[in-house]
Amino acid sequence: MLFGMLILSGCGSDKSSGDGDGEKQYVIGVTQIVEHPSLDAAFEGFKKALSENGFKEGENVKYDVQIAQGDQSNSQSIAKNFVGDSVDLIFANSTPSAQTALNATKDIPIVFTSVTDPVGAELVKSFDEPGENITGTTDTHPEAISKTLHFITDEMKAKKIGIVYNSGEQNAVVQVAEVNKLAKEAGVEVAEATVSTSADVKQATESLVGRVDAIYIPKDNTVVSALESVITVANDKDIPLFVGELDSLKKGAIAASGFNYEDLGYQTGLMAVKILKGEKKPSEIPVQAPENFELMFNKAAAEEQGVEVQETWSDLGKFIEEQ
């Protein structure tokens, strides 16, 4: 009888403990709209912040990573599955991912990053007053787009700028509106080419050939996931290419104003730490913006696209090989 009681006692131990020491095991659902360097770097920074604060993968944290492959219906299914699994926290990496997560739950804490306009996307009421179960970081610095656009118009002397973007991505629409506003102030034209999927990107970019002096790619998940197609056209046709974030710059664009997405992910991870430790509720943590940004140049891309690199550019920003 005593032996049987001992067996039953063992079976009744805390299920959340993976090693028998009673430590809670956390499950974090990671929803990401597509795979591309910036989003991947943000996730790495997020994990680093948690690991440095006692939440270590493989010990007391499990990450359930789900990529929607650019499909909104996949994103919705991922969010619903996380709710069904009762994960402890959802890390939503991109605007569409955050929107579907918030639509799926008003109870599970959600921390987002790589979101261009959290208020416009109806994720939060304001930066200072986020929703009951959601907060995070935006990947937009108020001067980032203007700094790049001024370089295109002042240094490149561009009179017409082409933009390729997915009109179904709210984050991209906000950026394009800002580009149009700045272009109008500078007295230059904008030619828009819209896409629905990454398969449309090359053809949309080719439609701009002969019509524009430069191409600007905003932080658009659909287009950035197929950026190689844009770079190919820009290189073949000697069209100066500019982008909205530094990871795309390294792939083959001339300039971008941006920041390190791993740093932004780390910043977001520190917010998640406070929530997991019970120190703060999402509603008590204001939405944060990138702490630093700068104009960066890719000398090799400039030469590939027939643009002569000027020494004066070093007064405006940094070349990536100087990092």
Side-chain angles (χ1 to χ4, degrees):
M1 183 181 297
L2 178 61
F3 179 71
M5 290 173 65
L6 287 172
I7 292 176
L8 290 173
S9 175
C11 292
S13 61
D14 184 1
K15 289 194 298 180
S16 66
S17 172
D19 53 12
D21 62 2
E23 182 181 14
K24 177 175 172 60
Q25 300 296 296
Y26 296 87
V27 177
I28 297 177
V30 179
T31 174
Q32 185 170 310
I33 191 66
V34 292
E35 290 180 288
H36 69 63
S38 294
L39 299 183
D40 297 342
F43 180 41
E44 290 304 313
F46 180 85
K47 290 193 294 182
K48 183 178 179 182
L50 266 70
S51 180
E52 291 181 357
N53 286 275
F55 298 93
K56 299 185 182 297
E57 185 176 10
E59 294 183 14
N60 61 344
V61 170
K62 175 187 175 183
Y63 292 101
D64 185 355
V65 182
Q66 301 292 328
I67 311 297
Q69 305 300 336
D71 190 319
Q72 194 73 355
S73 61
N74 287 345
S75 187
Q76 292 169 355
S77 298
I78 290 167
K80 289 178 181 177
N81 289 338
F82 286 160
V83 174
D85 293 340
S86 298
V87 299
D88 295 291
L89 182 140
I90 296 175
F91 174 55
N93 197 1
S94 76
T95 299
S97 302
Q99 289 173 321
T100 53
L102 186 59
N103 286 337
T105 180
K106 297 296 185 286
D107 299 314
I108 296 173
I110 301 168
V111 178
F112 62 76
T113 194
S114 311
V115 171
T116 299
D117 182 10
V119 176
E122 299 182 348
L123 295 172
V124 299
K125 300 173 186 176
S126 70
F127 276 38
D128 292 331
E129 296 183 8
E132 285 300 310
N133 69 316
I134 188 167
T135 189
T137 58
T138 174
D139 61 0
T140 296
H141 191 285
E143 298 177 15
I145 294 177
S146 64
K147 199 161 189 175
T148 304
L149 262 289
H150 283 146
F151 181 84
I152 296 172
T153 57
D154 298 346
E155 298 294 322
M156 296 289 101
K157 307 299 181 185
K159 296 300 181 184
K160 194 165 187 178
I161 303 170
I163 305 180
V164 184
Y165 71 104
N166 182 350
S167 57
E169 282 196 32
Q170 190 273 343
N171 53 302
V173 171
V174 169
Q175 294 170 80
V176 172
E178 179 68 10
V179 171
N180 275 291
K181 173 176 171 271
L182 294 168
K184 185 176 181 180
E185 292 172 357
V188 301
E189 296 180 55
V190 173
E192 299 179 12
T194 60
V195 302
S196 298
T197 69
S198 58
D200 305 327
V201 172
K202 190 171 189 292
Q203 184 176 357
T205 307
E206 289 173 336
S207 73
L208 297 173
V209 175
R211 299 169 51 210
V212 300
D213 304 310
I215 294 174
Y216 177 76
I217 302 299
K219 289 173 289 190
D220 179 297
N221 297 299
T222 304
V223 180
V224 172
S225 68
L227 189 66
E228 289 79 4
S229 298
V230 181
I231 294 170
T232 297
V233 175
N235 290 348
D236 289 347
K237 303 299 181 180
D238 282 345
I239 304 174
L241 174 64
F242 302 86
V243 290
E245 32 82 30
L246 299 185
D247 290 301
S248 292
L249 171 70
K250 297 170 186 174
K251 284 189 171 184
I254 293 175
S257 291
F259 51 87
N260 188 311
Y261 268 79
E262 185 171 343
D263 291 343
L264 188 68
Y266 188 92
Q267 199 175 331
T268 314
L270 294 179
M271 302 165 83
V273 167
K274 292 179 181 178
I275 294 169
L276 292 172
K277 286 186 175 181
E279 297 173 355
K280 295 278 187 180
K281 297 177 182 178
S283 59
E284 299 171 333
I285 306 175
V287 175
Q288 299 174 16
E291 296 176 350
N292 299 296
F293 89 103
E294 55 191 344
L295 184 62
M296 302 290 295
F297 307 107
N298 183 333
K299 185 182 293 185
E303 293 172 350
E304 183 68 35
Q305 291 158 22
V307 174
E308 184 178 351
V309 177
Q310 305 295 323
E311 291 185 9
T312 53
W313 291 6
S314 60
D315 296 329
L316 304 173
K318 296 180 180 178
F319 290 92
I320 55 175
E321 47 264 31
E322 293 179 0
Q323 288 183 293

